[in-house]
Amino acid sequence: MRIRTLVIYITIGFVAAVLALIAVQYMTRRNLEELISANENLLDEYRIGSGLSHQADSISRATLARKMDAVDQSGQRVLRWNLYVIVGVLALLTAVFAIIIGRMKKQAELIGQLNISERKLKEAVLVKENFLANMSHEIRTPLNAILGYTNLLQKKKLDADTRLHISTVQQSGETLLAIVNDILDLSKIESGMMRIEHVPFDPEALVHSVGTMFHHRSAEKQVPLLVHFDPEIPETITGDPTRLTQILVNLVSNAFKFTEKGEVNLRVTVDRIDGGRIDLTFEVKDTGIGIESARLETIFERFRQAEDSTTRQFGGTGLGLSIVRDLVHLQDGRISVTSKPGEGTSVKVTIPYRITAVSERPPVETPASETHPRRPGLRVLIAEDHVINQGLMMRLMEERAIEARLAVNGHEAVEMLRTEPFDLVFMDIQMPGMDGYTATRIIREELKLTIPVVAMTAHAMEGEKEKCVRLGMNDHIAKPVRESELDRIFTSYTTPTSANGSPENAFKVIDLNYMREISNGDTIYEKLVTEQFLHLMPRELEALSAAAGKHDPGEIRRIAHGIKTTISIMGLNALLDEPLDILESETTVATDFASPVEQVLTICKEALGEAGVFYTQFLIPDGRTEG
């Protein structure tokens, strides 16, 4: 029972007691007034009787005695009533307080039961989270190896049959990963931990990227995917692009799953514009098997599909549309389905977004290179207990020319960090002996190292990254490890170095970034162009100095033009373009050549010295050169 009810009982009890006491006082007062009046009458009669005592007879005395007896009985009656009322009031109060105490005792018991049930609920939630985390770890660990090695195999020169087999393994691994992600997303939604971001993004680019994802599947099933994007939609809107992508991928995937012929349409239109708000409608329509109207309401239920045989015939967990519905509702949107058996299904999703102001739009990103930059000179420590993942990570490091060392648990990683310098640590979370959290705490608190530590774990629960950062790690990447994520980590937390261990941009004059960009890690090419620079530049500088001594403008212009080509590979254009432009100009008179010639000679001589230092990395210990 609630506290308010107890307060009501207490109030009623005290009001009843007060009223009873008032009634007692009222009745007692009236009886006392009657007794006082009767006593006064008796006294008057007694006085009269005393004055005429000589006339009193036996009859008057008997009458007086009867009246005194009546007064005495009336007084006793008043006392009895007072006693009855007091006993009644005490009994009433006792009963009220007994009820109150009983109710409070029951309330305490209910509170105790509630606390027990809440504790059990928390324990059940914790058990569920631990189960999902462990399941995620155990499934993602072998998936990391499957997807990682298939990616590496696809880079090899393979015959058509082998490539088909590897592609099948890759697709199966991606499907299994999608199922795991669905289960984890369901858990996040149920626990209220699913976060909706609000970031600017390009809706047209997002929609077309979703279409590109299904290009292979469309060609495989010979079912075209037609994308229509309303031109009135703003270039940039603010919302959650990740969840929108998840919604569209689920809907388009479902459409292809149940469509054997015809087409799949993805249409994006404006539903409503109100000031800075815009409601977008995303419609995915197919010409597939369709759904009976009686079953339309059940398709959003978890683990349910339109037909009992669907799971066996078409596959899937029955979670996709349920998650889509929850994601739409989390973004204050709405979803509807219309379908006819044999004619197809149309799913409409309407989500409100904010139109992004020009000042809030993100800068345009340059397309990422398809190849991964090599980073010679970096030393990376990989703390990983799984043998297959160890081999995969070592292979990924080898592709990037990174020197990597392995530790099988946290204790071994800490000991290696005590004695060896590293540029970065990839730290698995679940390891025997000492886990990644404990190892990171020791690295920060005991070793006092500020080296970047990146959690590399199969845990994919919401809040895992925040937990890793809170415990001293710098970042978090989930297994299966994506190569794009690896490159992001290296770009964010390391400085590119050359093969001899010196930073690439440590030189004062030459800038090797352009060379690295062109060579894409090809050291033979880097060695060749460095040799050419070291061979050609001294001749050109000698010729320029001689032409300047002869005051020959034509020769100076020709040599300056040639030098422009030579210096570009060493990144000297920023320093030398201006003086070389002066030397190349037809309007420059002979007397103005001295200063720019001197500037070119000085910078190029310093560049030759630095290029010579850079060239030494291509020499092997016995003095011979590589290649």
Side-chain angles (χ1 to χ4, degrees):
M1 185 175 290
R2 294 179 297 183
I3 299 298
R4 187 174 66 179
T5 307
L6 290 177
V7 172
I8 292 174
Y9 282 155
I10 293 172
T11 304
I12 292 174
F14 278 105
V15 169
V18 170
L19 292 175
L21 290 174
I22 292 173
V24 168
Q25 289 184 356
Y26 177 74
M27 294 173 64
T28 303
R29 181 178 177 182
R30 290 192 62 183
N31 289 330
L32 288 175
E33 287 176 351
E34 291 177 359
L35 287 173
I36 291 170
S37 177
N39 286 334
E40 288 178 351
N41 292 334
L42 286 174
L43 287 173
D44 289 340
E45 291 179 3
Y46 178 75
R47 291 190 189 97
I48 295 172
S50 297
L52 301 174
S53 59
H54 59 282
Q55 300 176 354
D57 55 10
S58 59
I59 296 173
S60 60
R61 290 192 185 95
T63 302
L64 181 61
R66 285 196 302 271
K67 291 184 178 180
M68 292 184 69
D69 288 339
V71 171
D72 184 56
Q73 290 177 4
S74 179
Q76 291 179 3
R77 188 169 61 251
V78 169
L79 292 176
R80 284 197 305 272
W81 273 104
N82 283 339
L83 180 61
Y84 294 155
V85 172
I86 290 172
V87 171
V89 170
L90 291 176
L92 177 63
L93 290 176
T94 302
V96 170
F97 280 106
I99 293 173
I100 293 172
I101 291 172
R103 296 294 184 181
M104 292 183 69
K105 183 178 179 181
K106 187 175 181 180
Q107 179 80 7
E109 291 176 356
L110 291 175
I111 291 173
Q113 292 175 3
L114 179 61
N115 290 335
I116 293 172
S117 64
E118 286 183 349
R119 185 170 63 253
K120 289 181 178 178
L121 178 61
K122 290 179 180 179
E123 290 174 356
V125 171
L126 183 61
V127 169
K128 176 184 174 183
E129 289 183 353
N130 288 336
F131 168 75
L132 288 173
N134 290 332
M135 182 194 70
S136 170
H137 183 275
E138 295 302 324
I139 295 178
R140 284 172 175 267
T141 296
L143 266 181
N144 181 46
I146 293 170
L147 295 177
Y149 276 111
T150 50
N151 280 331
L152 292 175
L153 285 173
Q154 286 178 340
K155 297 177 182 179
K156 304 290 185 180
K157 293 182 179 179
L158 305 170
D159 59 77
D161 192 44
T162 305
R163 186 170 296 279
L164 176 62
H165 294 167
I166 293 174
S167 177
T168 302
V169 173
Q170 177 81 9
Q171 291 175 9
S172 299
E174 294 287 354
T175 301
L176 181 56
L177 182 60
I179 293 173
V180 173
N181 289 335
D182 278 351
I183 296 172
L184 294 175
D185 283 341
L186 177 63
S187 174
K188 294 174 190 176
I189 292 170
E190 284 183 339
S191 62
M193 297 179 67
M194 177 67 76
R195 300 177 181 178
I196 300 299
E197 296 182 341
H198 298 280
V199 297
F201 69 95
D202 183 348
E204 184 174 11
L206 185 148
V207 169
H208 285 292
S209 69
V210 171
T212 304
M213 291 181 195
F214 290 91
H215 177 75
H216 177 73
R217 192 167 182 182
S218 174
E220 187 179 60
K221 297 194 73 172
Q222 295 183 349
V223 175
L225 173 61
L226 306 179
V227 179
H228 171 77
F229 190 85
D230 192 338
E232 295 184 5
I233 298 175
E235 182 180 345
T236 308
I237 59 177
T238 297
D240 194 326
T242 303
R243 301 308 168 198
L244 176 58
T245 302
Q246 191 173 357
I247 290 169
L248 294 180
V249 167
N250 261 303
L251 294 180
V252 175
S253 177
N254 257 10
F256 273 110
K257 183 189 297 184
F258 301 112
T259 304
E260 296 299 329
K261 60 181 180 179
E263 62 187 28
V264 174
N265 285 273
L266 171 57
R267 297 178 60 86
V268 186
T269 56
V270 176
D271 182 70
R272 183 174 65 94
I273 296 181
D274 183 13
R277 310 292 298 183
I278 182 171
D279 292 355
L280 297 185
T281 296
F282 304 86
E283 181 183 11
V284 178
K285 187 175 182 180
D286 62 62
T287 57
I289 61 176
I291 307 170
E292 294 180 2
S293 57
R295 294 185 176 271
L296 283 177
E297 294 299 324
T298 65
I299 63 173
F300 291 110
E301 295 179 10
R302 291 168 184 172
F303 310 108
R304 290 287 299 275
Q305 295 187 333
E307 296 289 346
D308 294 335
S309 62
T310 300
T311 303
R312 295 187 297 272
Q313 183 178 354
F314 295 101
T317 60
L319 286 175
L321 285 179
S322 174
I323 292 173
V324 166
R325 179 198 58 187
D326 292 339
L327 290 177
V328 170
H329 290 168
L330 283 173
Q331 298 177 83
D332 300 323
R334 57 186 185 273
I335 183 171
S336 61
V337 181
T338 58
S339 182
K340 289 184 179 181
E343 296 184 14
T345 303
S346 173
V347 182
K348 286 187 178 181
V349 170
T350 302
I351 302 176
Y353 292 100
R354 183 169 63 85
I355 300 175
T356 310
V358 176
S359 58
E360 298 176 332
R361 293 179 183 176
V364 178
E365 297 183 359
T366 56
S369 173
E370 293 183 359
T371 56
H372 305 286
R374 292 166 63 87
R375 301 174 185 275
L378 284 182
R379 299 191 78 246
V380 172
L381 175 61
I382 300 170
E384 169 65 62
D385 63 310
H386 198 280
V387 176
I388 297 178
N389 286 333
Q390 289 176 353
L392 174 61
M393 288 300 295
M394 292 298 287
R395 176 60 182 166
L396 293 174
M397 298 302 108
E398 182 183 337
E399 281 191 343
R400 290 160 176 77
I402 295 173
E403 180 184 351
R405 295 287 305 280
L406 284 172
V408 297
N409 55 46
H411 178 74
E412 188 173 325
V414 170
E415 293 304 314
M416 292 177 70
L417 285 168
R418 290 183 191 275
T419 57
E420 300 180 47
F422 291 95
D423 300 299
L424 183 74
V425 178
F426 285 110
M427 183 73 71
D428 190 17
I429 297 300
Q430 286 189 346
M431 292 183 291
M434 181 185 292
D435 62 27
Y437 296 134
T438 305
T440 302
R441 180 182 58 79
I442 295 174
I443 291 170
R444 299 302 188 217
E445 297 179 3
E446 295 185 16
L447 302 186
K448 305 296 183 183
L449 296 178
T450 59
I451 181 174
V453 178
V454 179
M456 183 183 61
T457 172
H459 285 290
M461 298 297 292
E462 189 75 18
E464 186 66 31
K465 179 177 180 180
E466 290 77 5
K467 180 180 179 181
C468 292
V469 173
R470 186 174 67 253
L471 294 176
M473 301 183 185
N474 298 80
D475 212 321
H476 169 277
I477 56 175
K479 295 177 182 177
V481 175
R482 304 291 185 181
E483 294 194 64
S484 58
E485 278 292 284
L486 274 182
D487 293 331
R488 178 186 66 81
I489 292 296
F490 288 129
T491 301
S492 301
Y493 298 104
T494 64
T495 302
T497 57
S498 63
N500 63 1
S502 61
E504 287 187 358
N505 295 326
F507 298 113
K508 294 181 180 179
V509 178
I510 64 175
D511 184 353
L512 300 177
N513 287 331
Y514 178 69
M515 180 192 294
R516 297 293 191 192
E517 183 180 344
I518 297 298
S519 69
N520 196 25
D522 187 349
T523 55
I524 296 178
Y525 171 79
E526 293 177 8
K527 173 176 175 289
L528 175 63
V529 295
T530 305
E531 285 180 343
Q532 291 174 344
F533 179 81
L534 293 172
H535 177 70
L536 295 176
M537 184 52 66
R539 296 182 178 182
E540 292 181 341
L541 293 181
E542 185 178 351
L544 177 63
S545 179
K550 297 178 181 178
H551 302 286
D552 187 345
E555 185 66 8
I556 290 175
R557 293 189 186 98
R558 185 189 65 79
I559 297 171
H561 181 75
I563 289 177
K564 267 192 175 182
T565 304
T566 307
I567 65 170
S568 61
I569 197 63
M570 288 296 169
L572 297 172
N573 295 81
L575 296 174
L576 293 178
D577 274 351
E578 184 178 349
L580 289 175
D581 286 342
I582 295 173
L583 296 179
E584 274 193 285
S585 175
E586 296 286 346
T587 60
T588 304
V589 297
T591 55
D592 296 333
F593 283 141
S595 178
V597 166
E598 183 62 28
Q599 188 176 355
V600 171
L601 292 175
T602 301
I603 293 175
C604 286
K605 288 177 181 178
E606 190 171 354
L608 281 169
E610 293 182 355
V613 173
F614 173 68
Y615 184 73
T616 58
Q617 69 172 294
F618 302 112
L619 302 178
I620 57 179
D622 62 359
R624 292 178 290 112
T625 61
E626 294 178 338

